[in-house]
Amino acid sequence: MTQNVNLDKLSKAGVSIWLDDLSRDRIKSGNLAELIATKSIVGVTTNPSIFQSALSKGTAYDAQVRELAERGADVESTIRTVTTDDVRDACDVLAPQYEASNGIDGRVSIEVDPRLAHETEKTIAQAVELWKIVDRPNLFIKIPATEKGVPAIAKVIGEGISVNVTLIFSVERYEAVIDAYLEGLEAAKTAGHDLSKIHSVASFFVSRVDTEIDDRLTKIGTPDALALRGKAALANARLAYASYQRAFEVEPRFQTLLEAGALPQRALWASTGVKNPDYPDTLYVTELVAPNTVNTVPEKTLDAVADHGEITGDTVSGTAAASQVVFDQLAEVGIDLADVFVVLEREGVEKFEVSWNELLDATAQQLHAAGGKS
């Protein structure tokens, strides 16, 4: 099997393509392996919504849920077992990509319980627990970049655990995440951990920024406001990449850690499925091409890029000044950017909590039907 030309170009431009989806059917049917072989997939991300969707469809999990019910498992332990089994199996499927990239790719992410997003110590404890349960070197533990999540990130990195920081919306919060990563590396170094084995990505959400800001621009309704629709998300991500370059390529703090074997925390573009049908369906892929980045895509977006994505090389480096102009213009027409990012973070956590609660309810019903604890 040969790789798709467009996706191969994207990979060669320095973008690691990860699939934003996972299910047992995808693993067992060989579909994940096929995407690796034909569509340049070198990683997988999951979140509570993805797990809720996977477990609510079909019969792939029925036998395991019945078995767990017979053992007397409760809802929480059932979900933990089912999800960590899937992630472990996906880690094994991606092990060749992990080895071939010297640990950079071949990664699978699993998220801590979203209900812990505002509880630092409980997030740390569950991150450590999940790391031990899955027991694969190519695992990422996903921790949200809430105010209480940021110190947890530093602590977990300090324990030598690889982290995918999720739900980042603002450049300001992203810079706090970078600081937490560096703080964690410094602690890990002091503790004697091998820094070359600690990996991290920072997941910067894209499409939701346009959705929220476009709605506000439409309500403002002036010609200047309407002309800015569809520009905020790319500008935001490109400013984030400038922060990445400063922190990991210029400033001395990381250079000291680099000498000790540390790796930069790559920027990952998340939420890259286009929600507005007026925009090109490949927008958040083709316009966010930059070295040492990750783009985690839903399958629909992956197929769109494979079919008609125009990959023209780096579309991010050197765009910070123009991106700042967009942000200045947004402020001038009346967009409260600080409020936008507060709203997006709150809604992001709430959406994952809703999905998790739906997963709990569905699993409880399945356990009850199987005669177990609910």
Side-chain angles (χ1 to χ4, degrees), residues 118 169 339 341-351:
H118 304 296
F169 294 98
D339 182 67
F341 298 132
V342 167
V343 168
L344 287 171
E345 181 181 294
R346 184 182 69 243
E347 289 181 348
V349 172
E350 287 173 353
K351 286 175 183 176

Side-chain angles (χ1 to χ4, degrees), residues 17 19 88 97 99 102 115 183 191 204 208 225 250 312 316 323 332 345 363:
I17 310 168
L19 181 70
R88 187 183 305 108
Q97 285 65 43
E99 297 293 339
N102 197 27
R115 296 171 299 175
E183 180 184 330
F204 207 86
R208 295 186 193 181
V250 178
T312 58
V316 177
S323 297
E332 287 169 8
E345 181 181 294
T363 304

Side-chain angles (χ1 to χ4, degrees), residues 19 23 34 57 70 75 82 94 106 130 139 155-156 158 177 186 188 193-194 210 233 250 254 323 337 362 370-372:
L19 181 70
S23 68
E34 181 182 352
K57 296 175 182 176
E70 290 169 4
V75 174
V82 169
L94 282 152
L130 289 170
L139 177 69
K155 180 66 175 177
V156 172
V177 166
E186 289 159 352
H193 290 292
D194 181 351
D210 268 345
V250 178
F254 177 70
S323 297
L337 290 164

Side-chain angles (χ1 to χ4, degrees), residues 80-81 84-85 88 128-136:
R80 187 181 306 113
T81 299
T84 55
D85 281 359
R88 187 183 305 108
V128 172
E129 179 188 30
L130 289 170
W131 182 257
K132 290 177 179 176
I133 292 172
V134 176
D135 192 25
R136 292 294 185 271

Side-chain angles (χ1 to χ4, degrees), residues 70-305:
E70 290 169 4
R71 289 192 215 160
D74 61 15
V75 174
E76 299 275 354
S77 62
T78 297
I79 291 172
R80 187 181 306 113
T81 299
V82 169
T83 57
T84 55
D85 281 359
D86 276 4
V87 168
R88 187 183 305 108
D89 288 345
C91 282
D92 291 343
V93 173
L94 282 152
Q97 285 65 43
Y98 172 76
E99 297 293 339
S101 64
N102 197 27
I104 300 296
D105 286 311
R107 295 276 172 174
V108 184
S109 299
I110 187 170
E111 189 157 344
V112 295
D113 186 332
R115 296 171 299 175
L116 306 180
H118 304 296
E119 299 190 54
T120 303
E121 295 303 321
K122 289 182 179 180
T123 293
I124 294 167
Q126 189 172 97
V128 172
E129 179 188 30
L130 289 170
W131 182 257
K132 290 177 179 176
I133 292 172
V134 176
D135 192 25
R136 292 294 185 271
N138 51 333
L139 177 69
F140 268 137
I141 304 297
K142 287 180 85 172
I143 299 175
T146 57
E147 286 187 6
K148 296 295 185 180
V150 170
I153 292 156
K155 180 66 175 177
V156 172
I157 290 287
E159 296 289 333
I161 294 171
S162 295
V163 174
N164 176 344
V165 184
T166 189
L167 285 178
I168 306 172
F169 294 98
S170 72
V171 174
E172 181 182 20
R173 184 58 56 84
Y174 175 50
E175 290 175 348
V177 166
I178 293 173
D179 187 67
Y181 175 60
L182 297 176
E183 180 184 330
L185 287 177
E186 289 159 352
K189 181 182 176 183
T190 300
H193 290 292
D194 181 351
L195 299 190
S196 70
K197 303 296 184 186
I198 303 171
H199 292 250
S200 184
V201 293
S203 297
F204 207 86
F205 279 52
V206 182
S207 66
R208 295 186 193 181
V209 172
D210 268 345
T211 300
E212 178 65 24
I213 291 180
D214 282 2
D215 183 56
R216 296 185 185 209
L217 290 168
T218 300
K219 288 176 181 175
I220 292 169
T222 64
D224 285 347
L226 297 177
L228 289 168
R229 288 180 298 184
K231 295 183 178 181
L234 291 178
N236 198 36
R238 288 166 171 172
L239 287 168
Y241 189 71
S243 294
Y244 160 84
Q245 289 180 304
R246 278 194 302 274
F248 296 107
E249 298 173 8
V250 178
E251 294 176 356
R253 185 179 180 189
F254 177 70
Q255 299 309 309
T256 302
L257 292 162
L258 181 65
E259 292 167 6
L263 298 156
Q265 180 190 51
R266 289 188 295 170
L268 179 152
W269 312 127
S271 182
T272 55
V274 175
K275 295 178 172 60
N276 188 332
D278 293 335
Y279 301 158
D281 55 1
T282 62
L283 179 67
Y284 303 128
V285 178
T286 60
E287 297 306 311
L288 289 175
V289 178
N292 301 314
T293 58
V294 180
N295 198 310
T296 179
V297 293
E299 191 167 17
K300 183 179 179 181
T301 304
L302 180 73
D303 291 342
V305 176

